[in-house]
Amino acid sequence: MFKTLSLLLCGALTFGAYAAQTITIATVNNGDMITMKELSGEFEKQYPDIHLKWVTLEENILRQRVTTDVATGGGQYDVMTIGTYEVPIWSKQGWLTALDDLGEDYDVDDLLPAIRSGLSLDNKLYAAPFYGESSMVMYRTDLMAKAGLQMPKAPTWDFIRQAAAAMTDKEAGVYGICLRGKAGWGENIALLTSMSNSFGARWFDENWQPQFDSQAWKDTLEYYVDVMNKYGPPGASANGFNENLALFQTGKCGMWIDATVAGAFVTNEADSDVADKVGFALAPDKGLGKRGNWLWAWTLAIPSSSKKSDAAMKFISWATSKSYSTLVAGKKGWAKVPPGTRTSLYQNPQYMEAAPFAQITLDSINSADPKHPTVEPVPYVGVQFVAIPEFQGIGTAVGQQFSAALTGQMTVEQALQSSQRLVERAMRKARYPK
């Protein structure tokens, strides 16, 4: 009897050890992902046989690590945080697992069409949006009033320059405008490509010829360098999303043009010194029919190399579900719910009342047009990026030239000439047009 009991216990322990799985999640160090990690104990309670291992990285490093891993089939990660740029390219390559088992109550049809379409291939979802975003103007209402100005709901770049000048008080450590300066295709290039769209610029003409020698690109980069040098913070070439967020929250920025997801952070009294003094407006334009707002989703996806896709699927379903939104609302408040993914969130009066940035976010997401991102016709899809595999490399290289122009290491003309040459060379090597 004791021998039989011993064998049963041993078998149960062996089965338990076999059944328990650890999945490795690679994610970016943004605020919403940090909240996801904080709340992930709730997932482990629901699925005690699944343990979570977190790898949290700065945005540029995350992209390098997951791209290398997925391209080589390394299998280092079971869940990857990737963006709207990677999903269609990687799914075509067969690098991602289709998310076809998210559960009966997941409600895929509730996902915002503008977000869902960029994450699907042949009507199959290959990544689930954790949060979606466009870009907008965040500004200090008190400083705007002190300057004797009123922010329009739909400002122009000329007004932004005027307001930046009026709000700058360098002796008090207040800078009229904060914009991304850190080099990277998902950092300064996200901002500058979106901005260039509204100035009438484009990366390529219809024959895939680079267009950095155009007047529209010159106007874009001259404007950016001029306003940042006159009205921006020192050391701006090192500032990405998180650095500018910290500057704005501590009262150092009069205006910040960046991701709509930041709305919850700049209005959160626990983190922001100016939480009760923030207004929102659409991204600026030049009167050419395009605003400088992008379209993006940070998503959770499963690399094909993962041997734990069932457990990974359960985690993704949990983290991107309606019930996760309710969980965040209960723990952190409705304003902290990850935005920009579900229609039902924007039909929820509790959220709309708690989040003063909600309507601007929805309007900005819905107005972005990845298939027609520019004033002139282009052969590519993507608002703040060009949806081709080569863009990671050329985007970051161009970002380095633009960052050098910001610091004065080269002139605007030199930065554009260098960008033109390096992109021409890269596109010839990649044999475009294909």
Side-chain angles (χ1 to χ4, degrees):
M1 176 179 172
F2 291 110
K3 184 176 180 182
T4 302
L5 182 60
S6 176
L7 286 170
L8 286 170
L9 286 170
C10 183
L13 289 170
T14 302
F15 177 77
Y18 174 77
Q21 295 186 80
T22 297
I23 60 172
T24 302
I25 303 164
T27 195
V28 68
N29 62 342
N30 289 351
D32 283 306
M33 283 69 173
I34 292 168
T35 297
M36 174 173 61
K37 183 179 177 182
E38 286 176 3
L39 299 180
S40 63
E42 298 295 324
F43 172 82
E44 291 181 309
K45 286 179 189 176
Q46 189 175 340
Y47 297 96
D49 58 336
I50 302 174
H51 305 305
L52 307 178
K53 178 183 176 183
W54 294 85
V55 179
T56 305
L57 301 165
E58 185 270 332
E59 187 170 322
N60 283 342
I61 297 171
L62 172 77
R63 287 193 168 108
Q64 292 168 5
R65 297 268 183 93
V66 299
T67 300
T68 299
D69 188 75
V70 77
T72 59
Q76 188 176 355
Y77 310 112
D78 302 296
V79 176
M80 290 177 165
T81 303
I82 60 176
T84 307
Y85 165 75
E86 291 95 347
V87 176
I89 296 172
W90 291 7
S91 56
K92 284 179 185 176
Q93 296 281 356
W95 292 350
L96 300 178
T97 298
L99 303 183
D100 50 14
D101 191 19
L102 291 169
E104 291 181 5
D105 60 348
Y106 185 77
D107 195 1
V108 171
D109 291 334
D110 186 46
L111 298 177
L112 289 171
I115 297 295
R116 179 182 174 183
S117 65
L119 308 178
S120 302
L121 178 68
D122 298 331
N123 294 319
K124 285 188 176 182
L125 193 69
Y126 279 85
F130 183 69
Y131 70 75
E133 65 180 35
S134 186
S135 51
M136 65 181 175
V137 182
M138 293 158 276
Y139 65 95
R140 289 272 300 277
T141 54
D142 58 331
L143 295 181
M144 190 69 70
K146 183 180 177 182
L149 297 172
Q150 184 171 353
M151 175 69 78
K153 181 185 176 182
T156 64
W157 286 108
D158 290 340
F159 178 84
I160 294 297
R161 184 199 295 273
Q162 178 190 0
M167 288 192 287
T168 297
D169 184 353
K170 293 184 179 180
E171 288 187 7
V174 176
Y175 302 92
I177 191 164
C178 291
L179 299 173
R180 296 186 187 194
K182 183 185 292 184
W185 71 266
E187 285 281 7
N188 65 342
I189 288 301
L191 169 82
L192 282 160
T193 300
S194 304
M195 184 176 169
S196 75
N197 293 341
S198 66
F199 274 72
R202 50 186 177 167
W203 270 72
F204 302 100
D205 68 11
E206 292 174 280
N207 297 313
W208 290 100
Q209 292 300 313
Q211 297 295 294
F212 293 102
D213 54 3
S214 68
Q215 184 63 43
W217 262 112
K218 186 171 184 288
D219 292 343
T220 303
L221 196 56
E222 281 183 342
Y223 178 100
Y224 168 79
V225 169
D226 182 62
V227 298
M228 288 294 281
N229 283 330
K230 288 180 179 175
Y231 316 121
S237 62
N239 294 344
F241 174 85
N242 285 321
E243 292 81 9
N244 282 324
L245 171 61
L247 286 169
F248 193 93
Q249 287 178 322
T250 54
K252 303 297 184 185
C253 302
M255 292 179 292
W256 179 31
I257 302 172
D258 212 299
T260 52
V261 72
F265 307 140
V266 298
T267 55
N268 179 14
E269 293 182 359
D271 301 321
S272 176
D273 297 340
V274 297
D276 61 341
K277 304 178 182 70
V278 183
F280 304 96
L282 295 172
D285 73 353
K286 285 286 285 183
L288 301 177
K290 294 290 179 181
R291 308 203 76 84
N293 59 301
W294 63 63
L295 183 66
W296 184 257
W298 275 118
T299 76
L300 301 179
I302 304 171
S304 300
S305 54
S306 172
K307 295 178 173 59
K308 303 168 186 175
S309 59
D310 289 346
M313 193 86 66
K314 289 182 173 67
F315 176 78
I316 290 176
S317 178
W318 174 82
T320 62
S321 65
K322 294 179 186 178
S323 59
Y324 177 80
S325 296
T326 305
L327 174 64
V328 175
K331 299 283 188 180
K332 305 281 186 177
W334 275 106
K336 295 281 291 212
V337 171
T341 62
R342 290 186 172 272
T343 300
S344 57
L345 184 64
Y346 293 91
Q347 296 171 342
N348 184 329
Q350 291 175 285
Y351 177 71
M352 297 303 285
E353 183 178 350
F357 46 84
Q359 192 62 52
I360 288 277
T361 297
L362 185 62
D363 291 345
S364 298
I365 287 173
N366 287 338
S367 68
D369 187 355
K371 293 182 180 178
H372 304 94
T374 58
V375 175
E376 300 293 331
V378 290
Y380 54 84
V381 171
V383 180
Q384 77 276 28
F385 57 82
V386 178
I388 57 174
E390 294 79 10
F391 188 73
Q392 287 196 65
I394 61 175
T396 296
V398 170
Q400 291 165 348
Q401 313 309 305
F402 291 176
S403 185
L406 179 60
T407 60
Q409 293 175 281
M410 60 173 65
T411 65
V412 165
E413 290 79 6
Q414 289 169 336
L416 291 169
Q417 288 169 5
S418 179
S419 298
Q420 181 75 12
R421 287 194 299 268
L422 70 86
V423 176
E424 282 178 348
R425 187 164 57 247
M427 296 301 280
R428 281 198 303 269
K429 186 176 179 181
R431 300 181 183 276
Y432 276 82
K434 292 185 176 179

